[in-house]
Amino acid sequence: MSKIICGIDLGTKKTGFCCLKSDKSIYKLVLFESQNSNSSKRILEIAYKIKQELSKKISVVYVETPIYIQNFYTSSLLDRLFGMCELICSDIGIEFNSVSNKKWKKEVLGNGGASKEDIMLFSKTYWAKENFLSQDMCDAACIALYGLNEKKK
């Protein structure tokens, strides 16, 4: 069976989740959302959704390293969700990796400072048949592509 690489773009309200087959086609593309007004419960809901989607078919997970946001509380929530993802992968036995947004943007798009518009255009062109509902899904697909390329090195 071919390897399936998953990319995750974490958010406290929306999280993009994309898995690629070794031929770079999309195996799974999902947007996890939670409208819970309690932010701690919201990230738990997102973590549970991630856990439900991960399976033994997935070989490796790449998650974008949380960036520091001016709002300390939001940064703290992202760090907690990141840790939950690492624990879920460890429990299931899936290799877990993190990557900075500048690194995956540089490797995939050729520009570490690529804009949201650049990422959206790339994703919608590269995977023209897919329905990208949000920026988070585009980011997750590019993170997965970065991971797939890293594993082929």
Side-chain angles (χ1 to χ4, degrees):
M1 181 194 296
S2 64
K3 286 191 172 189
I4 295 176
I5 308 290
C6 181
I8 302 175
D9 179 51
L10 299 175
T12 60
K13 293 182 181 175
K14 295 180 182 180
T15 289
F17 181 95
C18 181
C19 297
L20 298 180
K21 298 177 188 176
S22 57
D23 67 359
K24 300 182 182 178
S25 64
I26 291 181
Y27 171 74
K28 189 172 286 195
L29 181 63
V30 183
L31 180 66
F32 301 124
E33 296 182 79
S34 174
Q35 303 302 320
N36 197 314
S37 60
N38 180 310
S39 56
S40 289
K41 289 182 181 176
R42 199 168 55 236
I43 64 167
L44 277 173
E45 287 175 8
I46 290 171
Y48 283 126
K49 290 175 184 179
I50 290 169
K51 184 177 181 180
Q52 289 172 339
E53 287 296 329
L54 289 175
S55 70
K56 292 293 182 184
K57 291 180 182 177
I58 296 168
S59 305
V60 183
V61 170
Y62 281 82
V63 179
E64 183 180 89
T65 307
I67 57 171
Y68 173 75
I69 300 172
Q70 289 179 343
N71 180 324
F72 174 78
Y73 188 68
T74 301
S75 294
S76 167
L77 288 171
L78 287 171
D79 283 341
R80 288 170 51 199
L81 185 54
F82 181 87
M84 288 179 207
C85 287
E86 188 170 12
L87 179 62
I88 290 165
C89 288
S90 176
D91 282 351
I92 296 173
I94 298 172
E95 181 184 332
F96 178 89
N97 296 280
S98 64
V99 60
S100 73
N101 65 350
K102 290 193 182 306
K103 186 166 185 170
W104 70 255
K105 288 177 184 180
K106 173 81 171 141
E107 294 295 321
V108 173
L109 290 106
N111 176 2
S115 69
K116 292 179 183 220
E117 293 78 16
D118 295 336
I119 298 162
M120 183 77 75
L121 178 62
F122 174 85
S123 299
K124 288 186 173 186
T125 302
Y126 196 89
W127 296 285
K129 295 180 183 177
E130 297 299 328
N131 186 18
F132 289 94
L133 302 175
S134 76
Q135 182 67 44
D136 306 290
M137 294 170 87
C138 293
D139 289 358
C142 290
I143 293 165
L145 183 57
Y146 166 84
L148 192 61
N149 291 339
E150 281 295 297
K151 286 298 171 187
K152 288 184 176 182
K153 288 182 179 177

